Amino acid sequence: MRDFQRDHSALALNTATLGHNVAGGGAGWSPERTVDACAERGIGGIVFWRREIEGRAAAVGAYARAAGIRVVGLCRAPFLVGPLASQQPEEVADDFRRAIDQTAELGADVLTIVTGGVQAGTKGVTRSLETVTRYVAAAASYAAGANVRLALEPLHPVYGGDRSCLVTTRDALDICDLINADNVGVAIDIYHVWWDTDLARQLARAGERVFGFHLCDWLPHTTDVLLDRGMMGDGVADIRAIRASVEGAGYDGPCEVEIFSANNWWKRDPAEVLDIMVERFRTVC
Amino acid sequence: MRDFQRDHSALALNTATLGHNVAGGGAGWSPERTVDACAERGIGGIVFWRREIEGRAAAVGAYARAAGIRVVGLCRAPFLVGPLASQQPEEVADDFRRAIDQTAELGADVLTIVTGGVQAGTKGVTRSLETVTRYVAAAASYAAGANVRLALEPLHPVYGGDRSCLVTTRDALDICDLINADNVGVAIDIYHVWWDTDLARQLARAGERVFGFHLCDWLPHTTDVLLDRGMMGDGVADIRAIRASVEGAGYDGPCEVEIFSANNWWKRDPAEVLDIMVERFRTVC
């Protein structure tokens, strides 16, 4: 395993951790100010959300690179299925391509995919996962042409109905197997998979298809399954064991901290959040 | 598959569906009145909670049987691990034995086990599951002596931190394999497992170790992961497919409706809830 105590350059900030992905949330920092704050602290990478870079993806990407910050990824492709997705398939496919274009303009490596939940008129996740597979397969070659990798992110089963019919690493890899494209892989987020005793086996299966690794923690008495994620060390996830499995699979890329926390971290000074994030990364991850 | 359209005698009520397991909740019906209401509707079984039958388990069991109602089970063994469990191992073991005794006095077939969450000072679920295994193994022979079967119920992964480190059917069966006692099996609750694409395979593995089958539904936009369960047909779970797998494993026992619903079903007249429960059981399960 890499030694983050001595070198935290693998640390990446997902701007959601500062509340930036919520309208009216966060401290009002611009992407540029956030980049500068990362650079000052030796944070090596950053992940933006689409609404932050809309219309000026190339400029934001260039600014980050000039500051020595790698643009790790973009959040995220549109919901493909379920109650939160557009019910017009062409709209979904068009927006998916726009997200790929933005990822390329930003100069980011990876576009994250959150699938959306169970399709209207169906029961269980199976048929929705089939629809997801068709959308991602259709987008894969377009993404390859833009040098963009697509990372399917399994979400916690609590989101199974509305936000993600894709809830296990096993299911995500099954889709990757079906699509069988070099630029289609998975993103592993501790919040979503910490409970899964099959994870180590699935990560061994995944090998180089792990395109992203997201850090946070699961608070045992969570008050909100969407907006009460924990800072690393404050919860019950075995972060170090999961990192060992992720790195054992061959992953040596950025470790992205993504914490939705409406009532705690989003209320604090972003500078303080970043300082604590660095300290926790070095000591508990 | 059994034909419930024509015969709903396999239907069992878990009294939690009427709010009976919450102090001050429910309509104030006594166990006897609830039994009578089930008998009037051709509901074949009932499951009580400990607080309802405390001190008079034998009498309540006898009343139910005299009314032609099978006492399917008792909810539940104490939390064995995690933040909601007693931190005194002897207290846990003693209360576990008392729950077994009450199950026997009631004349119920099955005591359900909800394990509790992650042990203090540990990370992830692995060590907590080992502790659970030790407690259940120690209780199994005591339960066998009382003719009580123990059903490990995997809970939804959203409860992983506090209420149940046991979150998949796979993990539950792994514990059964380790203990290897005829009276240790699993309870399958649709609310907890509906998202699991590995479920059919695990149920085939389970075979006769399925000791209970619980019905309800997963509402896609759930407002409370503890107290907002759906009536069968109102959510996205593929109830019929799961029942096919459960029955394919060899299960031909009661189907127990257990719906925690503080803001909907618990606010209605229990008679109405029972009528709708019967209708949904016959038409959508």
Side-chain angles (χ1 to χ4, degrees), chain A residues 5-67:
Chain A
Q5 180 70 53
R6 294 163 190 277
D7 174 10
H8 67 269
S9 59
L11 175 59
L13 171 75
N14 183 304
T15 59
T17 303
L18 308 183
H20 281 200
N21 69 321
V22 173
W29 282 12
S30 67
E32 287 78 1
R33 182 164 177 193
T34 307
V35 163
D36 291 343
C38 287
E40 285 163 18
R41 290 165 175 80
I43 295 167
I46 195 163
V47 176
F48 291 106
W49 287 69
R50 291 175 71 186
R51 57 180 289 279
E52 299 173 274
I53 54 118
E54 201 81 57
R56 56 194 203 95
V60 170
Y63 187 92
R65 281 184 291 280

Side-chain angles (χ1 to χ4, degrees), chain A residues 169-240:
Chain A
T169 307
R170 179 188 67 243
D171 291 342
L173 289 170
D174 285 352
I175 292 178
C176 292
D177 283 347
L178 285 167
I179 297 176
N180 192 26
D182 287 345
N183 68 328
V184 176
V186 300
I188 302 298
D189 185 315
I190 282 175
Y191 188 83
H192 300 305
V193 303
W194 74 273
W195 52 271
D196 186 356
T197 57
D198 194 36
L199 182 63
R201 197 172 70 89
Q202 293 298 332
L203 286 169
R205 170 189 169 199
E208 295 189 347
R209 292 178 295 182
V210 178
F211 290 176
F213 180 43
H214 303 181
L215 298 177
C216 64
D217 212 335
W218 179 272
L219 302 176
H221 301 296
T222 182
T223 59
D224 182 320
V225 292
L226 190 59
L227 302 178
D228 186 34
R229 298 191 189 181
M231 180 64 72
M232 299 85 75
D234 289 345
V236 294
D238 195 343
I239 297 173
R240 209 161 270 173

